[in-house]
Amino acid sequence: MEAFTTHTGRAVPLRRSNVDTDQIIPAVWLKQVSRTGFEKGLFAAWREDPEFVLNRPEYQGASILVAGPDFGTGSSREHAVWALQQYGFRAVVSARFGDIFRNNATKAGLLPIELPEANVERLQAKIEANPAKEFTIDLSRRELRCDEDGVQSFEIDDYTRWRLLEGLDDIGLTLRHTDEITAYEEGRRSWLPVTA
Amino acid sequence: MGRTLADKVYDAHVVRSAEGEPDVLYIDLHLVHEVTSPQAFDGLRMADRAIRRPDLTIATEDHNVPTTDILSPIADPVSRAQVETLRKNCAEFGVRLHPMGDAGQGIVHVIGPQLGLTQPGMTVVCGDSHTSTHGAFGALAFGIGTSEVEHVLATQTLSQRRPKMMAVTVNGTLPYGVTAKDLILAVIARIGTGGGQGHVVEYRGEAIRALSMEGRMTVCNMSIEAGARAGMIAPDETTFAYLEGRPHAPSGDDWEAAKEYWRSLHTDDDATFDKEVVIDAAELTPFVTWGTNPGQGVPLAAYVPDPAAYDDPTQRSAAERALEYMGLTAGTPLRDVAVDTVFVGSCTNGRIEDLRAAADVIKGRKVADGVRMLVVPGSMKVKAQAEEEGLNEVFTAAGAEWRQAGCSMCLGMNPDQLKPGERSASTSNRNFEGRQGKGGRTHLVSPAVAAATAVTGHLAAPADL
Ligand code: SF4
């Protein structure tokens, strides 16, 4: 996965709550078997509206999505994360994330930043007042910075932060413990079902 | 200190635990379907890795499957390619697959329990958020993304942190005509779509104990709609009776040994939960959603809510948007809302008992003019059983369409979709914008309400007929 250390970019406010993964990428886009090309399906239904925030000229090229609470609820489709990344987002800010979405994001290198709802709203207002404003995310310091307005710190556990900073693949990390997995398997109850 | 049911199952699967690291958790059963697996198999191939335990892995075709003609190739070339990719991957990696047309085919969360592969105390995962369904057996079961699917294929484990625990206790008895679906819709409306985030929900109490396995699966299925990755119900005699004799259930001495272990799988009296909700079953009534997330629900006897009544500005604007999308006016009685389509099916309510409930209501009646009713069994096995019981004839005599097994209009990846502006009463689990087809409007209901709605043409309970 792509490592995440620091990132500077403009942001786009998405003032909607409960943005479920069916909105982020509708089901018809999930039929592809490759891992690329999902940016076209990002918010596909909403993007048909020329007034939708992602269509507005001032937000073109923004790389930080600042959304309402409960972002990424619903389906487990990791395609939602891929679509956001392939469209150009490196981070999503929300007051709450769907658990599976958050998990998928950190596996794929998209940074989910959780901030209190009032702070998210203030950020959105700031972006709307000046869409050209740049933000810097510094993952090692767990900070979201915006020059004149100081610093917002966010929480992320040390392990996930380390994995993201190093861009490490979870499977490789787990495979280091193959002996322990084998030992566990030897102790499993004999009557547990097999599919074969 | 005492442990919860989820703690016990979690603890029994920790392969490795180290300070400052997530645990390595062993996975007993990995369910696979065509939509979320192709990129995971590609990843394995690229890294030259095998599947560690193909014998703990099983695949089915469900999301893309057409429900009219299941024996011909899929007409949509992209859907067909996805299903063919699954077939190639399963052949290459040695995974048992139930393809379209096979008697064992069906929705992934219907076939696991049906085969007896889902058992108490197991860890079950699938690249699908409704894996929570399997928690009805006292398994710790949750949805994962494609990166994690690849992780499980390669290692038979997941990198996990112990979840927080939440108890939803439903005391008392459900009134006549109130079902598991009504119960879970009411729970979600109460705690909200984020209420269970970060938690495993254990459903407890008299009303839960009284549910059949089908009802328990309906409840656990929708845990994710309350934000919880997993829902669980402690196994009991109802669970054992359901499992006994199923193809993959233990038998003979193993059956007794298994039951003895399973009986230990309950929350200790002195265990504590991080969050608790108590609900009185006697207060529940048939429930429907009016909005575009499963938390936006009210009793069928109520009215479309007025956004202005919400104090919270986020909820208010969400309600305004939802009413606009749904084409509803505040203050309208839900019973006056007319539908075009009724869908009975999905991993929430596509089991035999659900079909019986719908058939019971529609028997000897007719689907209203201008309404189409689709009945889609959750698996080929459910279909066969329903046909044995003559339920298919009840439905077709009423003017409903009797279909083949699959996800169908639950998410409209196959041709079963709503057209823009069309409205459905659906026994599925998600009323998101466009979920059942672009521009489609969904009201989530129980099978009994779905059938009554089909008869009257507007949202109705059996008691209204
Ligand atoms: S029936 Fe619906 S919710 Fe269930 S697995 Fe299929 S698409 Fe998902």
Side-chain angles (χ1 to χ4, degrees):
Chain A
M1 106 179 145
E2 196 180 349
F4 193 112
T5 48
T6 60
H7 172 74
T8 299
R10 286 178 290 114
V12 51
L14 180 61
R15 285 191 179 266
R16 292 186 189 190
S17 60
N18 268 296
V19 176
D20 57 76
T21 52
D22 275 79
Q23 304 319 314
I24 301 173
I25 184 133
V28 287
W29 291 89
L30 310 186
K31 297 182 184 183
Q32 296 173 70
V33 295
S34 68
R35 213 183 176 112
T36 52
F38 291 105
E39 69 279 6
K40 293 196 274 312
L42 181 71
F43 298 122
W46 292 349
R47 268 160 75 192
E48 285 178 10
D49 171 6
E51 285 305 301
F52 180 58
V53 69
L54 285 198
N55 289 334
R56 297 231 289 270
E58 64 271 31
Y59 295 119
Q60 297 313 302
S63 55
I64 303 166
L65 184 66
V66 183
D70 296 312
F71 186 87
T73 49
S75 141
S76 68
R77 56 189 74 166
E78 196 164 315
H79 313 66
V81 172
W82 304 334
L84 287 160
Q85 287 180 307
Q86 288 161 14
Y87 185 85
F89 288 113
R90 296 296 323 273
V92 183
V93 180
S94 174
R96 279 191 305 274
F97 289 97
D99 286 338
I100 306 180
F101 174 85
R102 186 217 315 266
N103 215 24
N104 288 344
T106 66
K107 303 284 174 189
L110 175 74
L111 183 66
I113 298 180
E114 204 169 278
L115 293 176
E117 196 166 338
N119 298 23
V120 175
E121 276 169 23
R122 269 202 300 277
L123 268 180
Q124 289 172 330
K126 253 180 223 171
I127 302 163
E128 283 158 354
N130 178 12
K133 194 185 276 284
E134 289 211 323
F135 295 82
T136 295
I137 298 163
D138 183 339
L139 178 57
S140 59
R141 302 177 66 152
R142 298 180 169 92
E143 281 172 4
L144 172 64
R145 293 196 292 264
C146 169
D147 298 344
E148 71 270 36
D149 299 303
V151 178
Q152 303 231 30
S153 27
F154 56 86
E155 283 181 26
I156 184 164
D157 68 87
D158 288 340
Y159 185 85
T160 306
R161 186 182 60 150
W162 167 72
R163 237 180 12 78
L164 282 164
L165 286 170
E166 303 287 328
L168 287 175
D169 158 21
D170 249 0
I171 300 179
L173 292 173
T174 301
L175 285 173
R176 294 180 189 169
H177 309 303
T178 303
D179 291 351
E180 285 154 278
I181 299 174
T182 307
Y184 178 89
E185 280 175 334
E186 279 159 11
R188 289 178 79 231
R189 290 184 168 79
S190 61
W191 41 260
L192 280 164
V194 290
T195 57
Chain B
M1 204 188 70
R3 294 184 299 160
T4 63
L5 163 62
D7 282 323
K8 289 180 184 179
V9 180
Y10 188 94
D11 290 343
H13 290 84
V14 176
V15 168
R16 174 196 152 85
S17 150
E19 184 65 28
E21 289 178 28
D23 299 328
V24 176
L25 198 73
Y26 199 80
I27 301 303
D28 291 321
L29 179 65
H30 185 190
L31 305 156
V32 173
H33 64 77
E34 75 273 17
V35 181
T36 53
S37 65
Q39 297 86 355
F41 282 108
D42 275 349
L44 286 186
R45 254 190 300 267
M46 268 168 2
D48 201 15
R49 288 173 180 145
I51 297 188
R52 183 178 175 88
R53 294 297 300 268
D55 60 331
L56 304 184
T57 313
I58 186 169
T60 183
E61 297 167 4
D62 53 9
H63 285 65
N64 284 276
V65 168
T67 54
T68 38
D69 182 4
I70 208 157
L71 295 173
S72 325
I74 302 179
D76 173 359
V78 200
S79 282
R80 187 169 68 228
Q82 190 160 63
V83 165
E84 280 167 1
T85 303
L86 179 70
R87 290 179 189 175
K88 273 201 295 243
N89 285 331
C90 288
E92 180 182 339
F93 288 89
V95 175
R96 168 173 165 190
L97 168 69
H98 289 289
M100 273 161 52
D102 181 275
Q105 179 264 348
I107 304 172
V108 68
H109 310 307
V110 177
I111 70 162
Q114 171 182 297
L115 287 165
L117 282 169
T118 305
Q119 296 173 16
M122 288 173 61
T123 45
V124 180
V125 298
C126 174
D128 194 286
S129 58
H130 292 101
T131 311
S132 59
T133 311
H134 306 261
F137 291 80
L140 180 61
F142 50 91
I144 55 179
T146 298
S147 295
E148 289 181 313
V149 169
E150 186 181 337
H151 193 282
V152 178
L153 290 173
T155 70
Q156 203 55 37
T157 68
L158 270 178
S159 176
Q160 279 294 302
R161 281 170 199 286
R162 182 181 296 272
K164 286 183 282 189
M165 306 295 164
M166 176 169 177
V168 171
T169 305
V170 190
N171 291 321
T173 317
L174 287 175
Y176 181 75
V178 180
T179 67
K181 182 65 165 285
D182 304 307
L183 189 163
I184 189 63
L185 285 173
V187 168
I188 300 164
R190 165 96 164 260
I191 69 176
T193 55
Q197 252 169 42
H199 292 76
V200 170
V201 174
E202 182 182 338
Y203 302 94
R204 330 173 66 197
E206 191 189 342
I208 300 293
R209 296 254 71 88
L211 291 175
S212 65
M213 286 315 295
E214 280 90 346
R216 293 178 188 187
M217 285 190 256
T218 301
V219 169
C220 288
N221 173 276
M222 291 194 73
S223 303
I224 182 74
E225 263 51 74
R229 272 180 94 178
M232 291 178 95
I233 295 173
D236 59 11
E237 295 304 321
T238 305
T239 322
F240 308 154
Y242 180 96
L243 273 169
E244 191 167 14
R246 297 213 173 240
H248 291 272
S251 57
D253 289 348
D254 284 347
W255 174 249
E256 295 307 320
K259 273 203 296 189
E260 194 186 321
Y261 172 57
W262 295 343
R263 288 206 171 93
S264 73
L265 297 173
H266 55 79
T267 293
D268 296 329
D269 290 342
D270 56 342
T272 52
F273 289 91
D274 300 286
K275 217 168 168 179
E276 286 200 65
V277 174
V278 179
I279 287 177
D280 180 3
E283 288 173 4
L284 298 176
T285 60
F287 221 80
V288 298
T289 61
W290 53 267
T292 53
N293 73 56
Q296 292 175 322
V298 290
L300 173 63
Y303 302 83
V304 174
D306 183 353
Y310 291 97
D311 293 334
D312 176 44
T314 308
Q315 278 192 13
R316 194 182 315 135
S317 67
E320 280 164 3
R321 267 194 63 82
L323 290 195
E324 195 193 324
Y325 180 85
M326 293 295 288
L328 292 172
T329 313
T332 310
L334 264 309
R335 280 200 172 92
D336 287 356
V337 175
V339 305
D340 310 284
T341 298
V342 171
F343 172 65
V344 176
S346 87
C347 60
T348 312
N349 283 129
R351 297 184 181 79
I352 188 69
E353 191 177 275
D354 302 310
L355 302 190
R356 285 184 195 134
D360 249 11
V361 175
I362 209 140
K363 192 170 187 152
R365 298 189 163 105
K366 288 273 178 218
V367 174
D369 283 347
V371 173
R372 71 168 163 160
M373 179 180 189
L374 258 61
V375 186
V376 182
S379 71
M380 292 306 274
K381 187 105 188 294
V382 169
K383 178 169 182 278
Q385 190 175 347
E387 288 174 355
E388 219 165 88
E389 296 177 18
L391 304 184
N392 57 325
E393 279 153 28
V394 173
F395 288 120
T396 48
E401 299 174 39
W402 178 245
R403 296 291 189 88
Q404 313 273 349
C407 294
S408 178
M409 200 184 266
C410 175
L411 93 167
M413 267 183 94
N414 74 351
D416 305 337
Q417 296 182 9
L418 293 179
K419 292 195 201 61
E422 274 186 345
R423 187 182 298 281
S424 77
S426 175
T427 67
S428 55
N429 43 46
R430 288 189 173 139
N431 52 346
F432 297 154
E433 289 181 25
R435 170 79 177 180
Q436 299 191 292
K438 202 163 123 197
R441 297 157 168 169
T442 303
H443 296 273
L444 301 177
V445 297
S446 73
V449 169
T453 300
V455 172
T456 63
H458 49 81
L459 294 173
D464 300 333
L465 300 178

